[in-house]
Amino acid sequence: MSTTLHFSKYQGTGNDFVMVDDRAKRFDVADHQLVRHLCDRRRGIGADGLILLRQHPEYDFEMVYFNADGHLGSMCGNGGRCTVAFARQLGVIETDTRFLAADGPHEARIDADGLVHLRMQDVRGQQGIDEYGVFLDTGSPHLVRFEPTGSLAGLDVFTEGRALRNGALFREKGTNVNFVEAPVAPGQPWQVRTYERGVEDETLSCGTGVTAVALAASRHGAASPVQLRTPGGELQVAFEAQPDGSFTNIYLSGPATFVFEGKV
């Protein structure tokens, strides 16, 4: 990689990413220290993750995602939506695309209002974990825990999320943890706060997280499409629930916004 790195910054409901056009494959994916530095909010650009957009012979592009800790991550829903918007900015796509991510191929489209609709992988059910909540894999592992009405705003997400993320059930690989509050009236969104592994802190939003929440909430009466509100903004998840407990045709929809560009 050259000594000068050109980048763009994107955010999706507050979940922010350093985006790099790496179609020439010059970025050293083994340089974890560089990724950590670029994502550092005090010494670098600052982001929840870094994403490379690369060429692929069978898809419009490939998305390579790194967590803020510098290591390659699993699927990132908001990152995927931001990568689609970045690909359009680069002229790689127009409105519809098919691309490859860590968990396999994805389809997406950008509508006239700039919303990105990203098709997620099918989910083959959910696993109840005693008093801890519900576990699902939506491209990344997620624990969903439903909280009493009125308690979410005052919840210590960092402390409780970190304890569950590193708990005995998940210690080997860890998990993301979502704390959820149901709507108090029809038509209102589900409230979600998420502790993300790899970032090791609460983030303003998590795309695979709200997807997991929407699917888990369907067992609590939520009907597709589910509206969800994170600290960073609102997202929508549509899906088809199957008789065997699986979920298909899952779409994560929301904004993906260019913030700034530069070079370091």
Side-chain angles (χ1 to χ4, degrees):
M1 190 186 73
S2 66
T3 56
T4 300
L5 176 71
H6 295 264
F7 70 91
S8 292
K9 179 78 174 286
Y10 274 76
Q11 63 90 13
T13 53
N15 207 185
D16 59 342
F17 308 95
V18 174
M19 315 293 300
V20 178
D21 177 1
D22 194 40
R23 286 175 286 177
K25 290 193 174 181
R26 295 177 179 173
F27 195 98
D28 183 0
V29 297
D31 194 341
H32 308 309
Q33 183 177 356
L34 174 61
V35 176
R36 285 195 298 271
H37 171 72
L38 294 172
C39 291
D40 191 299
R41 296 193 182 278
R42 292 177 175 84
R43 299 177 178 88
I45 301 166
D48 292 327
L50 182 144
I51 298 173
L52 306 179
L53 185 147
R54 288 184 157 183
Q55 290 182 326
H56 193 282
E58 299 177 13
Y59 300 90
D60 293 329
F61 60 87
E62 181 180 4
M63 166 190 168
V64 181
Y65 173 69
F66 297 84
N67 287 313
D69 64 6
H71 295 280
L72 287 167
S74 48
M75 178 57 184
C76 177
N78 286 330
R81 294 188 305 99
C82 286
T83 309
V84 171
F86 183 49
R88 186 172 69 168
Q89 177 195 349
L90 295 174
V92 175
I93 66 168
E94 294 183 1
T95 58
D96 295 84
T97 184
R98 187 168 181 262
F99 69 94
L100 186 65
D103 62 340
H106 289 264
E107 299 172 358
R109 64 179 174 86
I110 306 177
D111 65 21
D113 296 326
L115 295 180
V116 179
H117 307 273
L118 172 65
R119 184 170 183 173
M120 308 295 284
Q121 300 293 346
D122 293 347
V123 174
R124 300 301 175 188
Q126 48 188 282
Q127 176 186 352
I129 304 181
D130 301 325
E131 74 274 16
Y132 293 109
V134 177
F135 179 80
L136 305 94
D137 191 324
T138 54
S140 290
H142 282 276
L143 178 67
V144 178
R145 198 177 84 176
F146 294 92
E147 303 295 329
T149 300
S151 66
L152 192 62
L155 186 69
D156 186 349
V157 169
F158 176 80
T159 300
E160 296 203 30
R162 186 176 184 178
L164 289 167
R165 177 256 191 270
N166 293 297
L169 289 171
F170 305 106
R171 185 168 294 150
E172 182 178 354
K173 293 184 178 180
T175 186
N176 302 283
V177 185
N178 305 272
F179 302 94
V180 188
E181 189 174 316
V184 296
Q188 293 185 352
W190 292 72
Q191 306 287 331
V192 184
R193 295 177 65 187
T194 301
Y195 180 95
E196 280 199 59
R197 67 172 189 174
V199 179
E200 304 308 334
D201 203 347
E202 180 179 7
T203 55
L204 293 179
S205 179
C206 176
T208 54
V210 298
T211 301
V213 170
L215 303 184
S218 71
R219 304 305 188 197
H220 293 256
S224 175
V226 180
Q227 305 296 326
L228 306 109
R229 179 177 294 150
T230 70
E234 293 197 13
L235 293 160
Q236 176 181 283
V237 176
F239 57 87
E240 294 179 10
Q242 303 301 321
D244 64 356
S246 63
F247 299 89
T248 60
N249 293 321
I250 304 167
Y251 278 87
L252 170 66
S253 300
T257 306
F258 170 79
V259 183
F260 62 86
E261 61 185 352
K263 58 184 179 180
V264 292

